[in-house]
Amino acid sequence: MIKITFPDGNIKEYPKGTTAYQIAESISPRLAQEVLAATVNGNVVDLNLPINEDAELKLHKWDDEEAKKTFWHTSSHLLAEALEELYPGIKFGIGPSIDNGFYYDVDSPVPILETDLPKIEAKMTELARTKSGLVRREVSKDEAMKTYTDKGDQYKTELIGDLEDGTITFYSNGNFTDLCRGPHLPNVGYIKAIKLTSIAGAYWRGNKKNKMLTRIYGITFPKKSMLDEYLVMVEEAKKRDHRKIGKELELFMFSNRVGQGLSLWLPKGAALRERLENFLRNVQKQYGYLQVITPHIGSKELYVTSGHYAKYGKDSFQPIRTPDENEEFLLKPMNCPHHCEIYRAKPRSYKELPVRLAEFGTVYRYEQSGELHGLTRVRGFTQDDAHIFCRPDQLKDEFKKVIDIVLHIFKTLSFENFTAQISLRDPENTEKYIGSDENWEKAENAIIEATQEKGLNTTVEYGEAAFYGPKLDFMVKDALGRKWQLGTIQVDYNLPERFDLSYTGADDKPHRPIMIHRAPFGSMERFVAVLLEHTAGKLPLWLSPEQAIILPISEKYNEFAEEVAKKLNEADVRSQVDDRNEKIGRKIRDNELKRIPFLLIVGEKEQAEDKVSVRIQGEGDQGAMTVEKFISFVKGKVAKEVE
C-alpha cells in the first residue's frame, strides 16, 4: 500500500500502482471526468501513470495552469497526428503548449496555407472522436535515434542527440508516435472544441542559419461553449489592441526610418508618461528614494564586470568603438551596473543604509524583428528602475516596503486581479546562474518569508529567476483575463560582490551590502500598452490626455468656449475646444469615440447663465453647472482615484 496526502491534509492508502485517474474516480466519478492533470510530489504526471511511492497528490481541473498546459500539449500531438495523415512525409520539430494554446513547427513536403486550416481542424476533430489513448513508452537512445533516422526526420534526431540515455520516452496516439516526456491527457477524446488560429514562419531552434519551418498555432477546449467564449474574447481583444488605441488617441507611433522597435511618443503620449512618472516619483519620495540619471551607453568593461556581457552579449547590440578603437561602448542593456558605480563613488557607513537609488532609465536590447509587437516588445524601453543597497538585517523589511509600493500602484490603476510569482533558479541546472549556493538560499528564503508575511497569493516557478538572483514577479490579469508580467522585485547578493561594494559596519569593519532591484511598472512602454488594453482606452480621469472637450453649438459661441477652456486649463483641468464647423451631434459622436471623459456643450443658454452642459463618457447628459462647480467636481473625482 502507498499513502497519498491530499492538499487538505487528509491521508488515504491505495494499492501500489494506482493511477491519479483511479484515485480521482474513487473520490467521485464526476471529478475523474473534470480532472485533466495531476501533480505527484510537485511534478506534473500523466493521470494514467502508476504511483508507487508515498506522495503528495494534487488533482488539477481546467482552471489550473497545469491542467491547461497538459491539455494544450496533448492537443499539439493531435495536430501532429492529423498533419501526418494529411501530408505524408511531413517532418516535425517541436510542439509545446503556450499561454493561449499550442503550436507545432513542421517541415512539410507541400506548402501549408491559411486556407488549409479548416481541413486540418476537421481531421483533428475526426481523430479526437476515436478517443485513442496516449501510450507512454521508455526507449533507449539508440532505439530513439534509429526510429527517426529510418523515418528521415533530422529535427527529432538532432533533439535526441542532446538527451541522455535512460531519459527518453515516446508517446503514441492512434498511428502517430512522438518523442516527448509528457505529461498528457489519458486520451484525445477530452478535446471537444478545436480552432487553428494562424500560420507563421519560424527558424528551426530560433537560429536564422537554420531552415525556416511552418509554425501552426491553435487552441482547444474541453467544451464548445468555452471556445465560443474565447472567440468573443479574441474579437474584443482586437478592439482593445493598444496599437489601434494608441493611434486613435495620438499617443505614440513607429517609423521605419527611425528603426523597428523604437517608439516615438507623441505630445499626448508623452504627457501620459509624464503623469505616470510623476505619480511614481511622489510615491518614491515617501519611501526615501533618491533620483539619479545615468547615460544611455556604458563601457563594455562595465557589463563584463556585471556579468551582463557574458550572459547577453551575443544577443545585444554590438559594441560601439571609438575612432581610435581604444575603447568599446555598449548601448545600456541594464541600469543596475551604473547604480553600483554611483553607490561605490564614496565610502558608506552602516548608518547611511539603506541607500535607495531610482531612475527612469532607457535601456536597449536587440529583439528579432519577428518578435517585435507594438509597445509590448520593443528594442528601446524605459524602466522605472530602482536599486536598494541595504544591510542583511534590513533586507526583508525593505523587500516588504517595495511590495507595498507595487500594491499601491496596482490598486490606483485597478489592476487588482494578480498573482505574485516567486521565480527561483532551476535546481537541476544551476550552472546558468552566478553566485554561491549559500547566497541563493538566503535570497530565496527572504522572498518567500516576505510574501508570507504580506499574505500574498503566490505561486512558485523554478527556472524563472534572473541569472544573478531570485525574484518576485507580479502576474496581472487584465479585463479580458489575459496574464501579463508587470512589476518585479529581485534580491541580489552577486552584483555587490562583482563590484566590490561595501559599507563600514558598527564593528568598524567592511561588510557587503545586499542589493534589491525593483521596477513596479516593469517598463513604461509595456505598462502603457497593458493599461490601454485593460481599460479599452478609457483611461482613469487623472491620466486621460484630455479630460474635457468644449463643444460650441455654433461658431457664435466659440469665444465663450475658449474662455471656458482657459479657466479649466488654469485650474489644471486639461481641456480643448472643438470648434469644427460640424453639427453638435457629430461633434459628440466623434469625441466619444476618442474616449474623452467629459463633453461640455455651450450655446446661447449656457453663455447667458455662464454655465456648461455636462456629458460624461458612457453616462450621458448630467445637466448644466457653473465652470467653478465643474472644476470642483473633476478635482474630487481625480482625488478619489489617486487617494
Side-chain angles (χ1 to χ4, degrees), residues 169-187:
T169 54
F170 283 175
Y171 274 86
S172 298
N173 51 292
N175 295 320
F176 176 72
T177 297
D178 204 354
L179 169 73
C180 185
R181 61 185 175 189
H184 295 285
L185 300 171
N187 67 70

Side-chain angles (χ1 to χ4, degrees), residues 6 38 52 121 141 169 195 273 311 327 410 478 516 581 587 627:
F6 293 92
N52 293 309
E121 282 177 15
K141 188 168 184 175
T169 54
K195 181 66 179 177
R273 274 187 53 159
K311 191 70 180 175
E327 294 179 283
F410 285 1
D478 67 12
I516 299 175
N581 188 23
K587 290 184 181 181
V627 175

Side-chain angles (χ1 to χ4, degrees), residues 188-208:
V188 296
Y190 283 73
I191 302 168
K192 305 291 187 184
I194 300 165
K195 181 66 179 177
L196 298 181
T197 53
S198 64
I199 291 179
Y203 291 107
W204 171 236
R205 291 193 153 184
N207 189 333
K208 287 185 177 180

Side-chain angles (χ1 to χ4, degrees), residues 15 102 135 160 176 202 257 276 458 464 512 541 634 639:
F102 57 92
V135 181
I160 293 166
F176 176 72
R257 287 188 178 181
L276 282 169
T458 62
E464 293 298 317
R512 187 80 69 202
L541 183 58
V634 171

Side-chain angles (χ1 to χ4, degrees), residues 406-610:
V406 175
L407 297 183
H408 175 67
I409 291 170
F410 285 1
K411 182 180 179 183
T412 301
L413 292 164
S414 300
F415 284 118
E416 297 184 16
N417 188 359
F418 66 88
T419 300
Q421 176 181 298
I422 302 173
S423 299
L424 307 178
R425 65 175 177 169
D426 183 351
E428 297 180 1
N429 190 17
T430 57
E431 66 274 5
K432 67 179 182 178
Y433 307 96
I434 62 175
S436 69
D437 291 341
E438 179 187 4
N439 283 343
W440 271 89
E441 187 174 338
K442 287 191 289 187
E444 290 177 345
N445 288 338
I447 292 177
I448 293 168
E449 290 172 11
T451 56
Q452 289 174 343
E453 291 176 18
K454 296 301 295 184
L456 290 181
N457 175 25
T458 62
T459 61
V460 175
E461 290 289 338
Y462 292 95
E464 293 298 317
F467 75 94
Y468 51 76
K471 56 181 179 167
L472 183 67
D473 292 323
F474 287 84
M475 314 302 291
V476 175
K477 279 191 176 180
D478 67 12
L480 296 179
R482 298 170 301 179
K483 189 186 292 183
W484 302 89
Q485 191 265 307
L486 292 180
T488 184
I489 318 172
Q490 304 166 5
V491 176
D492 183 3
Y493 281 81
N494 295 303
L495 285 189
E497 287 187 2
R498 284 177 166 261
F499 282 90
D500 194 24
L501 305 184
S502 66
Y503 64 89
T504 302
D507 56 3
D508 211 32
K509 294 180 180 179
H511 295 268
R512 187 80 69 202
I514 304 168
M515 193 172 172
I516 299 175
H517 306 240
R518 48 112 284 196
F521 289 149
S523 82
M524 300 304 296
E525 285 74 10
R526 185 181 182 86
F527 192 87
V528 168
V530 175
L531 182 63
L532 289 174
E533 298 194 3
H534 179 58
T535 62
K538 296 176 183 177
L539 294 165
L541 183 58
W542 68 278
L543 279 177
S544 183
E546 294 165 321
Q547 294 171 319
I549 292 289
I550 300 97
L551 310 178
I553 289 176
S554 74
E555 63 181 15
K556 290 192 296 183
Y557 308 106
N558 285 354
E559 186 176 339
F560 177 62
E562 292 291 350
E563 291 173 6
V564 171
K566 183 179 179 182
K567 288 180 183 178
L568 294 178
N569 286 313
E570 287 175 349
D572 201 26
V573 176
R574 298 181 292 278
S575 60
Q576 289 186 4
V577 175
D578 183 350
D579 57 4
R580 293 176 299 154
N581 188 23
E582 296 282 359
K583 291 183 178 180
I584 192 65
R586 173 67 182 272
K587 290 184 181 181
I588 290 172
R589 285 195 302 274
D590 289 350
N591 285 290
E592 283 184 340
L593 289 173
K594 292 180 180 178
R595 303 164 179 86
I596 309 296
F598 295 103
L599 307 184
L600 307 182
I601 300 167
V602 295
E604 182 179 2
K605 182 179 179 182
E606 288 79 14
Q607 180 172 284
E609 297 178 357
D610 198 21

